[in-house]
Amino acid sequence: AGFIASLLGALLLLWLYGQVVQRCRDRGIVPLAGYLPFSQAIDAETGKLAVRQMELAREAGFEVIDLTDAYKGADYPSLWIAPWDSHPNAAGHRLLADKLYEKLRGWMQASLGQQPAG
């Protein structure tokens, strides 16, 4: 039963993502999806599910901006709101914003056929 539920969930998510992608394209919007890194507080199974969601997003037609390396080398707990809440604090959001800017800049330059500066 777990496999069937997982398969049905994936098919439903793929269909839903496809609907969003189609509606974006119908309106001349580039469908983007961002993948945020999980903190070390998230168990491995939850991390695998999140990666699968981004794979499904790509399959449905989203351009995926992968921010998994935004916290590379950082002390995760120092980026948390509180010891019991692993959502990013201001420093964590800054790292995410910097990585998002870098990735969007590279994506836009590639989309326009330009070479990245520097």
Side-chain angles (χ1 to χ4, degrees), residues 65 98-112 114-118:
I65 305 293
D98 288 347
K99 184 56 70 174
L100 178 61
Y101 176 78
E102 174 189 318
K103 296 280 184 158
L104 282 174
R105 187 169 180 239
W107 176 80
M108 289 188 69
Q109 288 172 335
S111 295
L112 298 172
Q114 300 173 352
Q115 294 296 320

Side-chain angles (χ1 to χ4, degrees), residues 45-56:
E45 191 61 31
T46 303
K48 287 179 190 176
L49 289 173
V51 168
R52 181 66 180 132
Q53 287 179 334
M54 286 300 105
E55 290 170 351
L56 290 169

Side-chain angles (χ1 to χ4, degrees), residues 39-40 74-83 85-86 89:
S39 73
Q40 293 172 339
D75 174 41
Y76 276 82
S78 72
L79 304 175
W80 296 348
I81 291 175
D85 187 345
S86 62
N89 59 20

